[in-house]
Amino acid sequence: MARKAGAKSAQSNVPELTKEQELAAFRDMLLIRRFEEKAGQMYGMGLIGGFCHLYIGQEAVVTGVTMASKKGEDAQITGYRDHGHMLVMGLDPKGVMAELTGREGGLSKGKGGSMHMFSNEHRFYGGNGIVGAQVSLGTGLAFAAKYREDDTVSISYFGDGAANQGQVYESFNMAKLWNLPVVYIVENNRYGMGTSVERASGQPDFSKRGISFGIEGEQVDGMDIRLVHDAAQRAIEHARSGKGPYILEMLTYRYRGHSMSDPAKYRSRDEVSSMRAERDPIEQVRKRILENKYETEEGLKEIETEIRAIVTEAADFATSDAEPPASELWTDIYAEAE
């Protein structure tokens, strides 16, 4: 049976991050956390419409993977829980928040909303609302990388719920058949919508899902950024060196419901509070920074103040920016001529 999210690693030689990496990780994860908290508040106020899926609790996954990638060169694609991915990849928080509120300054001109954001400049290809769709698209990005011989890797994120989609396995087969440079990241937060992994999956160890295709995989403690970063480095190097696809199952945990409309009654409050108290990815980094004297309490508070200012600025912009004009209804539309 798969290890539970956040279970402590059996490794005695846990890889360490440098001072610069720890501080950068703290900053990036804190930005995601505070941004998502603000997004949740704005949704509750009616300023964000449609669906809104928060990434709170899972911050170490995308942060550690992105640290191990060639930022701005390697392609990344994910599902609808996508705000954190864009922030870590360097997209403007104002543009991300404005997209949530449907404003003209949003990353998709206010027409994509929470689930459909995109940035070709940063090589971020969504934000995809169809469950599992990003896996086949991410495999296509890897095919393009191999065809062009540009030495880049496609990093494709999907959840434990999407892991049971048929298109995922068609993609695995194609990726291995052609040895495409793709790393599949399974963000196993234990609940596909409201159903636990154990109730929905005959094989709950998602790192083994590629065995029949000859794809290597491993489980990773997705609450510890050191382990995420270390595993991501190995997996990305594997794919970049021409050895083909690799699967990383990140054992993580979301603190909020599946979406803002989910009361999450399928799990106990004690379960959530226990994860927050014992395995929070940001608090782990904060503790190491202080223990290693990389920064003082006052210094971390200054970072916190700076992050809150960035998020406040983003929220202010997202509520004051103009809505897209009616003419935008007819732009960015693909129609095939008869």
Side-chain angles (χ1 to χ4, degrees), residues 5 33-34 36-37 54-59 190 223 253-257 267 269-284:
R33 179 72 58 89
R34 298 295 176 251
E36 294 289 66
E37 289 170 347
L54 303 181
Y55 201 64
I56 297 174
Q58 299 182 213
E59 296 91 350
R190 293 175 58 176
M223 303 298 275
Y253 195 81
R254 57 172 164 78
Y255 296 165
R256 300 290 184 92
R267 59 185 183 181
R269 290 184 178 180
D270 287 344
E271 178 182 302
V272 180
S273 60
S274 176
M275 287 297 295
R276 277 184 174 272
E278 299 174 13
R279 299 294 296 145
D280 186 82
I282 300 175
E283 290 307 310
Q284 290 185 59

Side-chain angles (χ1 to χ4, degrees), residues 27-242:
R27 184 185 182 84
D28 285 345
M29 290 195 292
L30 192 62
L31 175 60
I32 297 174
R33 179 72 58 89
R34 298 295 176 251
F35 183 97
E36 294 289 66
E37 289 170 347
K38 176 62 74 173
Q41 292 172 6
M42 293 173 68
Y43 186 93
M45 296 167 64
L47 297 171
I48 295 174
F51 292 98
C52 185
H53 305 80
L54 303 181
Y55 201 64
I56 297 174
Q58 299 182 213
E59 296 91 350
V61 178
V62 71
T63 304
V65 172
T66 303
M67 284 172 60
S69 71
K70 289 183 178 179
K71 194 171 179 178
E73 297 182 34
D74 292 332
Q76 295 204 39
I77 187 168
T78 189
Y80 39 72
R81 199 179 305 279
D82 57 357
H83 315 155
H85 298 69
M86 289 175 285
L87 294 172
V88 169
M89 291 190 73
L91 278 78
D92 185 355
K94 295 195 296 294
V96 179
M97 194 70 87
E99 189 59 40
L100 297 182
T101 57
R103 303 305 174 108
E104 190 173 18
L107 292 174
S108 295
K109 302 178 184 178
K111 299 186 290 183
S114 172
M115 299 194 295
H116 302 103
M117 296 192 227
F118 181 97
S119 174
N120 190 50
E121 178 187 358
H122 291 79
R123 301 219 68 206
F124 179 75
Y125 297 98
N128 293 270
I130 298 174
V131 176
Q134 70 274 23
V135 181
S136 50
L137 293 173
T139 303
L141 290 167
F143 176 81
K146 184 165 185 174
Y147 184 83
R148 295 168 178 161
E149 300 181 342
D150 61 12
D151 195 38
T152 63
V153 170
S154 170
I155 302 171
S156 302
Y157 300 83
F158 59 102
D160 47 278
N164 294 322
Q165 290 283 320
Q167 61 192 315
V168 171
Y169 299 95
E170 294 178 49
S171 299
F172 284 179
N173 184 59
M174 183 179 290
K176 183 57 182 178
L177 188 64
W178 294 337
N179 267 342
L180 301 181
V182 55
V183 177
Y184 297 111
I185 309 288
V186 187
E187 296 196 73
N188 180 1
N189 61 27
R190 293 175 58 176
Y191 298 97
M193 293 189 73
T195 306
S196 68
V197 166
E198 289 76 12
R199 293 180 58 210
S201 300
Q203 170 51 277
D205 185 340
F206 298 107
S207 68
K208 296 179 179 178
R209 291 295 183 93
I211 289 177
S212 63
F213 304 99
I215 301 176
E216 294 182 46
E218 62 181 286
Q219 283 188 329
V220 183
D221 181 352
M223 303 298 275
D224 189 328
I225 195 168
R226 299 170 300 177
L227 297 173
V228 172
H229 178 259
D230 183 61
Q233 280 188 313
R234 294 194 305 274
I236 291 172
E237 176 55 31
H238 176 98
R240 201 185 309 278
S241 65

Side-chain angles (χ1 to χ4, degrees), residues 297-332:
E297 285 276 11
E298 291 71 24
L300 293 182
K301 287 179 181 178
E302 288 179 9
I303 294 174
E304 173 91 32
T305 300
E306 184 180 347
I307 293 298
R308 287 188 182 277
I310 291 172
V311 172
T312 298
E313 181 184 20
D316 290 344
F317 176 76
T319 52
S320 62
D321 189 42
E323 294 185 355
S327 60
E328 278 294 335
L329 287 171
W330 310 107
T331 63
D332 305 310

